[in-house]
Amino acid sequence: MQVYVSNREIEQIAEGLVHVACGKPPPKRIDIDAVAVYLGLTVRYEKFAESDPDKIGFTSDGKSALTVFRNGQKQRIIFPKETIVLDSFLQYPCESSRRRFTLAHEISHILINRADPTHTAPCFNRVYDTERRYNLNELHERMNLGECQANTMAAIILMPKELLTASVRRHFRKSRIPVYGDCVFLPEIKPVMQAMADELGVSFTAMLIQLRKYDLLEERDMAEYFDKIKVGDRNGVLDNHWRGSIMRWRWRIMEEKQQKEIITI
């Protein structure tokens, strides 16, 4: 009989892991590789050759084989139990946030499996392609309880509440970020939020989900939004603090672009 791991258990395990592996309060960016080392986990990088191109991460159960390319040929490899294998393309600097989340996702599978010893199946992390048509079995593989719980835990590990709350206060000098309607932000706010996501080492979308979960968004009426974006009312909207955040974000984008050019050369 399988043991059910509650969402509250997942939250406490993730938050506790951050504290013991990274310190309290946590640093501005969680060192997910250090978390893997703390747990005694081995992380490998291989060129995946699975028939499903969405598979980019794998946690071994010590029995099931993973298909990879080695020496130009496909090989079925059985890795030791709890070995995490990530697709080698994730090592490119431009894939940093995806690599971090994928590693956190696989670490979460291991922690959930340890909390529930009856659950020992191998685990794949799959990207979701919005332009691909999935059959029912493929959708089940991507949206089952285990995958949802691993995503939840991974997000908490990379963005624990105290860390995200501190980041909002540091970048906006307020406790909550104004949002109009459900997901509309003022043009000058988006770059600051992107700077936050870059600092945390996560995607904008993943951060937005956590901001909403932690009630760090302040919902406002759309009428106020249109009042603020009227022609002639835009001068002087940005204060020096936000201008500085936007400049730092633009500078970071330029640095990443230069890194990509170096790799290409």
Side-chain angles (χ1 to χ4, degrees):
M1 179 176 135
Q2 187 166 329
V3 179
Y4 177 72
V5 181
S6 69
N7 288 334
R8 184 57 186 150
E9 285 180 280
I10 287 173
E11 290 176 4
Q12 291 196 349
I13 291 171
E15 292 170 352
L17 175 62
V18 170
H19 288 159
V20 298
C22 303
K24 186 176 181 179
K28 291 181 180 180
R29 176 186 290 211
I30 300 300
D31 187 343
I32 193 63
D33 296 284
V35 171
V37 170
Y38 173 82
L39 292 170
L41 302 176
T42 299
V43 181
R44 299 279 300 272
Y45 291 88
E46 300 276 357
K47 187 175 182 180
F48 282 27
E50 291 284 326
S51 58
D52 185 348
D54 289 349
K55 293 178 178 178
I56 60 174
F58 175 76
T59 297
S60 176
D61 62 353
K63 302 175 183 177
S64 305
L66 174 68
T67 306
V68 301
F69 281 112
R70 286 186 177 178
N71 300 318
Q73 296 183 335
K74 289 184 178 181
Q75 296 185 33
R76 299 276 290 168
I77 307 294
I78 297 178
F79 293 91
K81 185 177 180 180
E82 291 193 343
T83 297
I84 295 175
V85 188
L86 304 182
D87 199 316
S88 56
F89 85 90
L90 292 172
Q91 292 178 291
Y92 285 102
C94 60
E95 298 292 346
S96 175
S97 62
R98 190 188 302 197
R99 184 195 75 85
R100 285 168 50 77
F101 195 90
T102 303
L103 179 52
H105 177 97
E106 298 305 330
I107 289 173
S108 298
H109 272 305
I110 291 173
L111 291 173
I112 292 171
N113 289 349
R114 289 179 181 180
D116 171 13
T118 65
H119 183 70
T120 57
C123 302
F124 276 102
N125 182 30
R126 298 171 171 84
V127 294
Y128 185 84
D129 187 346
T130 56
E131 297 184 358
R132 177 179 168 186
R133 291 187 176 181
Y134 295 102
N135 60 41
L136 289 177
N137 287 333
E138 290 172 331
L139 286 173
H140 174 73
E141 289 174 343
R142 286 159 178 78
M143 299 180 180
N144 63 46
L145 179 61
E147 292 304 311
C148 290
Q149 287 185 325
N151 280 336
T152 297
M153 181 177 282
I156 298 172
I157 292 173
L158 294 175
M159 295 169 284
K161 186 175 182 178
E162 60 183 317
L163 175 58
L164 200 52
T165 300
S167 183
V168 170
R169 289 185 179 278
R170 185 168 58 255
H171 285 272
F172 289 92
R173 294 183 178 175
K174 56 179 67 177
S175 59
R176 301 168 80 196
I177 302 172
V179 59
Y180 300 89
D182 183 54
C183 59
V184 180
F185 298 93
L186 290 174
E188 62 268 17
I189 287 181
K190 284 185 178 180
V192 184
M193 293 179 67
Q194 186 61 58
M196 279 181 55
D198 292 343
E199 182 179 82
L200 293 164
V202 299
S203 70
F204 186 96
T205 301
M207 183 186 72
L208 184 58
I209 292 172
Q210 293 305 102
L211 287 170
R212 183 167 284 112
K213 176 181 177 180
Y214 297 147
D215 195 27
L216 295 173
L217 298 178
E218 180 183 352
E219 294 186 8
R220 297 185 181 179
D221 193 85
M222 286 299 297
E224 180 184 334
Y225 172 80
F226 289 109
D227 283 340
K228 288 183 176 293
I229 65 168
K230 285 180 181 176
V231 176
D233 290 346
R234 304 304 299 155
N235 293 330
V237 171
L238 295 180
D239 63 19
N240 290 332
H241 177 70
W242 284 15
R243 289 181 192 276
S245 294
I246 292 173
M247 289 302 295
R248 287 191 294 273
W249 172 69
R250 288 175 176 171
W251 180 256
R252 187 173 293 132
I253 294 298
M254 290 175 62
E255 287 183 330
E256 290 179 356
K257 183 178 180 182
Q258 290 175 350
Q259 288 179 349
K260 293 178 188 177
E261 291 175 351
I262 293 173
I263 291 173
T264 303
I265 292 172

